Amino acid sequence: MAVTIEDLYRNYGVLADAKDNLSQHKDAYQVILDGVKGGPKEKRLAAQFIPKFFSSFPELADAAINAQLDLCEDEDVSIRRQAIKELPRFATGENILRVADILTQLLQTDDTAEFNQVNAALISIFKIDAKGTLGGLFSQILQGEDIVRERAIKFLSTKLKSLPEDVMTKEVEEYVFTETKKVMEDVTGEEFVLLMRVVSGLRVLQTVNGRQQLVELVVDQAFLEQALNPADPDTVDRLLQCTRQALPLFSKNVHSTRFVTYFCEHVLPNLSVLTSPVAELDIQLEVLKLLAEMSPFCGDMEKLEANLNMLFTKLLEFMPLPPEEVENGENSASEEPKLQFSYVECLLYGFHQLGKKLPDFLLDKVDPERLKDFKIRLQYFARGLQVYIRQLRVALQGKTGDALKTEENKIKVVALKITNNINVLIKDLFHNPPSYKSTVTLSWKPVQKSEALAPKRPSSEEMGSGGGTKKQIPPQPRRDARQIYNPPSGKYSASIGNFSYEQRGGFRGGRGRGFGARGARSRGRIY
């Protein structure tokens, strides 16, 4: 005979009045458990009554959890929410792992309110036993269905950082790192980025040794011991993603040497044939920016001269020779060379940083004819640079506040940073012997507080003595989505400064692309 509302209330009263003699009323609790087989009203009451007396009947613990689990899977969403809300009350002792496992599997729901209820329940049991809760989460990440794995990883990446220190103790954080390393053995690109967000935020790793461990984790994913296949977009994307994750970890004590070496030996030689993982991404500029940002943190390099030579070779490729002059001294009718400022800023900066480690490179390691050719290119580039710097300063003269926030003026502000940076670096290389003492902030890096956005009056040093007549330059509309300042014949590229430093959406394609296709597993619900 089905349990009725009256039966539930009557047996609830028996248990509530029993006080210290609860264990003698096992039959009354069994009636409440049987309430899950009733109608909607009976189920709602059972969802509330079962957890209330759960701790008093350890011999019925499995039956009680299973009954509550039945309600968590009910067709009626309101019953499910009520049952999920009460689940943390079962999270005692050895049951914590099972409850965490159940809640993790319930993350696969597509009902927003129910999903939020599951999240709240997980946070609640974290405060009861963080390590036990993590055990349930990682169990599902390693063995659960794909949708559960995906949502469990996202839960960790968004919720752990908000938990207080008394919950996320040193022992708990070390457990997170240990388990994350196991997961990292088989991940997709998107999972890798999310998991790096998890471990990078752990307080226990905010030391030099901790950051070095994180770099090692990234190195394992980057496959730096393998040659690069420039034609494979997934291989290129893996390298980009890993480098982006490692970049914030580098410092004067945590070196970027292995990444810089790999870029010099495998990426730069293939720069022109790299296959972009995203159609609108200027892959060459992306790679050069990453290399430039890493270069200040490079330690002792085994093949420094060879790597400097590769940087030097690439720099020559992007610094054109001046156009040939005909007999009357005027330029020939051939098209004026393009000055690719964005590329040159990156290459010059990287060369300048590594050059500090071998300051006699240009004097003793470069063939005299090649050095002469380099200086001709450098002088031509410097002359064009002065023209653009003057034009940009005139265009920005007197503009402040909102006037600098227009798309056109933001482009010009960034262009001015690029050209000024190149100007400073070129002046260092023109010294005899070449100097590597100047410091610049890369144009795409955040503006320092002390640095004013409005252009100051140009000094004679910044203006230089470069020749060239001043042209009236109309702003050019966006030509394409390439993030580069490359003004042929003195025009501005409208796409400068739009470089998005983190690729949206992680790796292209679905699971099985990117970081080693995760093998198909036979997965079922394992409550």
Side-chain angles (χ1 to χ4, degrees):
M1 187 173 176
V3 174
T4 64
I5 291 288
E6 290 74 17
D7 292 333
L8 289 171
Y9 274 120
R10 184 172 60 256
N11 284 281
Y12 176 86
V14 170
L15 295 172
D17 293 339
K19 297 181 180 179
D20 296 335
N21 299 317
L22 266 173
S23 59
Q24 298 176 15
H25 299 280
K26 183 177 176 181
D27 291 344
Y29 190 57
Q30 184 62 57
V31 171
I32 289 175
L33 294 183
D34 292 340
V36 302
K37 301 171 185 175
K41 292 181 180 178
E42 287 79 12
K43 290 178 179 179
R44 288 193 192 93
L45 275 182
Q48 298 174 59
F49 292 172
I50 291 172
K52 186 172 181 65
F53 302 105
F54 168 73
S55 60
S56 298
F57 299 97
E59 69 277 19
L60 291 176
D62 282 346
I65 292 175
N66 287 334
Q68 195 77 4
L69 180 55
D70 287 342
L71 298 176
C72 289
E73 295 185 310
D74 197 84
E75 293 179 359
D76 188 328
V77 67
S78 65
I79 293 173
R80 295 202 303 270
R81 290 179 198 163
Q82 181 63 48
I84 291 168
K85 180 182 178 181
E86 301 292 345
L87 263 182
R89 299 177 70 173
F90 294 86
T92 57
E94 61 185 21
N95 293 319
I96 186 80
L97 189 63
R98 186 178 179 191
V99 173
D101 197 279
I102 292 168
L103 284 168
T104 304
Q105 293 184 61
L106 291 173
L107 285 170
Q108 66 188 293
T109 179
D110 292 323
D111 180 90
T112 302
E114 187 177 350
F115 180 77
N116 292 337
Q117 191 73 64
V118 174
N119 273 266
L122 275 168
I123 292 294
S124 177
I125 66 170
F126 248 107
K127 296 173 182 177
I128 298 171
D129 183 345
K131 196 171 179 181
T133 305
L134 286 164
L137 280 157
F138 278 109
S139 172
Q140 284 299 314
I141 289 172
L142 288 167
Q143 302 174 29
E145 298 175 19
D146 279 348
I147 183 64
V148 174
R149 174 186 172 100
E150 176 187 331
R151 293 189 179 178
I153 290 175
K154 286 183 178 176
F155 175 88
L156 290 175
S157 71
T158 56
K159 304 298 183 183
L160 282 196
K161 59 188 176 185
S162 63
L163 294 172
E165 288 188 45
D166 61 337
V167 173
M168 293 297 293
T169 61
K170 180 182 178 182
E171 180 188 2
V172 171
E173 290 197 335
E174 288 173 345
Y175 178 74
V176 170
F177 189 47
T178 299
E179 293 302 302
T180 300
K181 286 192 285 187
K182 294 178 186 176
V183 179
M184 286 279 203
E185 293 174 7
D186 182 17
V187 290
T188 64
E190 184 178 3
E191 290 172 346
F192 170 69
V193 171
L194 291 174
L195 289 168
M196 282 303 299
R197 189 178 299 165
V198 171
V199 292
S200 296
L202 298 176
R203 284 179 287 271
V204 73
L205 296 176
Q206 303 309 308
T207 62
V208 170
N209 183 53
R211 289 197 301 275
Q212 188 61 55
Q213 289 184 67
L214 290 173
V215 169
E216 296 300 328
L217 198 59
V218 179
V219 167
D220 288 342
Q221 292 294 326
F223 291 175
L224 298 184
E225 73 284 356
Q226 297 181 9
L228 179 71
N229 179 3
D232 179 17
D234 286 334
T235 300
V236 174
D237 202 18
R238 171 193 288 271
L239 180 63
L240 294 183
Q241 291 280 29
C242 289
T243 308
R244 290 190 192 113
Q245 294 304 314
L247 199 51
L249 303 170
F250 297 138
S251 67
K252 64 180 180 179
N253 297 312
V254 181
H255 294 153
S256 60
T257 313
R258 279 176 290 181
F259 279 91
V260 174
T261 298
Y262 190 86
F263 270 59
C264 290
E265 294 181 357
H266 296 278
V267 182
L268 289 183
N270 295 297
L271 190 63
S272 62
V273 293
L274 289 176
T275 302
S276 176
V278 181
E280 65 274 13
L281 183 70
D282 182 343
I283 186 64
Q284 294 190 49
L285 184 58
E286 168 84 338
V287 162
L288 294 178
K289 285 191 171 189
L290 290 172
L291 176 57
E293 283 209 61
M294 291 189 292
S295 58
F297 309 113
C298 185
D300 294 335
M301 188 176 277
E302 188 176 334
K303 300 177 181 177
L304 177 58
E305 183 180 336
N307 292 333
L308 257 176
N309 193 55
M310 175 51 65
L311 263 172
F312 182 68
T313 300
K314 282 298 162 186
L315 187 56
L316 285 175
E317 288 181 18
F318 287 99
M319 299 192 80
L321 283 166
E324 294 182 6
E325 294 185 353
V326 293
E327 290 183 5
N328 61 5
E330 296 180 358
N331 288 346
S332 65
S334 59
E335 185 180 345
E336 184 179 339
K338 294 180 180 180
L339 303 184
Q340 296 177 312
F341 291 150
S342 293
Y343 293 118
V344 171
E345 179 195 16
C346 299
L347 286 164
L348 258 182
Y349 185 85
F351 181 78
H352 193 268
Q353 291 296 323
L354 294 190
K356 294 176 182 178
K357 301 177 181 298
L358 191 61
D360 63 347
F361 175 79
L362 287 174
L363 295 178
D364 298 339
K365 310 296 182 182
V366 176
D367 178 84
E369 284 301 314
R370 200 175 182 215
L371 181 59
K372 180 181 177 182
D373 174 75
F374 176 57
K375 288 189 174 181
I376 292 172
R377 295 170 187 266
L378 212 57
Q379 285 175 334
Y380 175 69
F381 207 96
R383 286 201 304 269
L385 199 64
Q386 301 305 325
V387 175
Y388 290 121
I389 289 176
R390 281 197 292 271
Q391 291 168 349
L392 289 165
R393 291 198 177 280
V394 168
L396 293 169
Q397 191 74 38
K399 291 184 172 62
T400 58
D402 291 340
L404 287 173
K405 294 178 183 178
T406 67
E407 193 64 31
E408 180 183 339
N409 284 331
K410 282 195 288 187
I411 290 169
K412 291 175 182 175
V413 167
V414 177
L416 187 57
K417 290 181 186 177
I418 294 174
T419 48
N420 275 332
N421 283 348
I422 297 173
N423 193 36
V424 170
L425 297 173
I426 285 179
K427 285 178 183 295
D428 257 16
L429 297 183
F430 267 138
H431 285 163
N432 191 13
S435 169
Y436 299 93
K437 295 179 180 178
S438 295
T439 58
V440 298
T441 300
L442 290 164
S443 60
W444 62 90
K445 299 293 286 180
V447 178
Q448 301 300 315
K449 289 182 179 180
S450 59
E451 190 178 334
L453 278 176
K456 63 182 183 290
R457 184 171 180 172
S459 66
S460 58
E461 181 181 346
E462 290 170 324
M463 296 295 284
S465 56
T469 56
K470 185 162 62 179
K471 306 173 186 176
Q472 293 298 317
I473 311 294
Q476 179 173 319
R478 181 185 296 272
R479 291 193 307 271
D480 53 33
R482 295 181 68 198
Q483 299 82 1
I484 182 171
Y485 182 59
N486 177 17
S489 302
K491 293 188 178 180
Y492 302 119
S493 167
S495 57
I496 189 171
N498 295 337
F499 171 68
S500 175
Y501 206 67
E502 183 170 351
Q503 176 189 325
R504 294 286 182 262
F507 280 54
R508 65 190 197 90
R511 290 187 177 278
R513 301 299 301 268
F515 278 27
R518 289 182 50 238
R521 302 185 180 94
S522 174
R523 299 172 184 146
R525 297 174 77 80
I526 51 173
Y527 295 126

